Amino acid sequence: MRKSKTQPLKNIMQSSLDELNLTQKLKEVRLLSRWDELIGKSIASKTERIYINKRTLFIYMNSSIARENLRLLQDSLPVKINEFAGDNLVDKVVIR
């Protein structure tokens, strides 16, 4: 017999993530794990380190040419990233 308070696992997981304030971090991790899809394999292969801190995306490049190519997109990059993520995750991009 089914209990009246039965909930789908998806709802339980989502409420747990919300309660622990992990929803935003999970979205950031998903975005960073798909960096090569977003920016392209050639630039992604030159990315040394990437992380998000306080709504700012920090990108460390190991190629000066790739860095300059990415800087040309720096102003439009937050919009592209947020569209790709489906949420407003990044306000600013810092390229080093």
Side-chain angles (χ1 to χ4, degrees):
M1 193 167 195
R2 203 167 185 183
K3 295 181 180 181
S4 62
K5 293 185 179 184
T6 304
Q7 295 181 5
L9 183 58
K10 180 181 177 181
N11 295 351
I12 295 169
M13 291 295 292
Q14 187 61 49
S15 64
S16 297
L17 288 172
D18 291 341
E19 196 172 301
L20 296 170
N21 295 322
L22 294 175
T23 304
Q24 186 73 13
K25 190 65 175 173
L26 182 61
K27 289 178 183 179
E28 291 173 4
V29 169
R30 284 183 186 155
L31 173 71
L32 297 179
S33 69
R34 298 176 63 200
W35 177 245
D36 60 337
E37 293 176 45
L38 172 66
I39 204 68
K41 292 193 184 289
S42 62
I43 293 180
S45 68
K46 306 293 186 208
T47 303
E48 199 169 280
R49 188 170 53 141
I50 182 170
Y51 64 93
I52 298 174
N53 185 18
K54 297 179 184 174
R55 301 182 56 82
T56 301
L57 176 67
F58 292 89
I59 307 168
Y60 291 84
M61 307 295 292
N62 59 15
S63 166
S64 60
I65 295 170
R67 184 182 311 114
E68 290 307 315
N69 286 339
L70 201 54
R71 280 203 177 128
L72 294 174
L73 302 171
Q74 191 168 8
D75 293 335
S76 63
L77 208 49
V79 174
K80 184 178 179 182
I81 290 168
N82 291 331
E83 285 177 4
F84 185 80
D87 199 359
N88 193 13
L89 299 177
V90 175
D91 292 330
K92 184 180 173 185
V93 175
V94 176
I95 303 168
R96 297 185 176 161

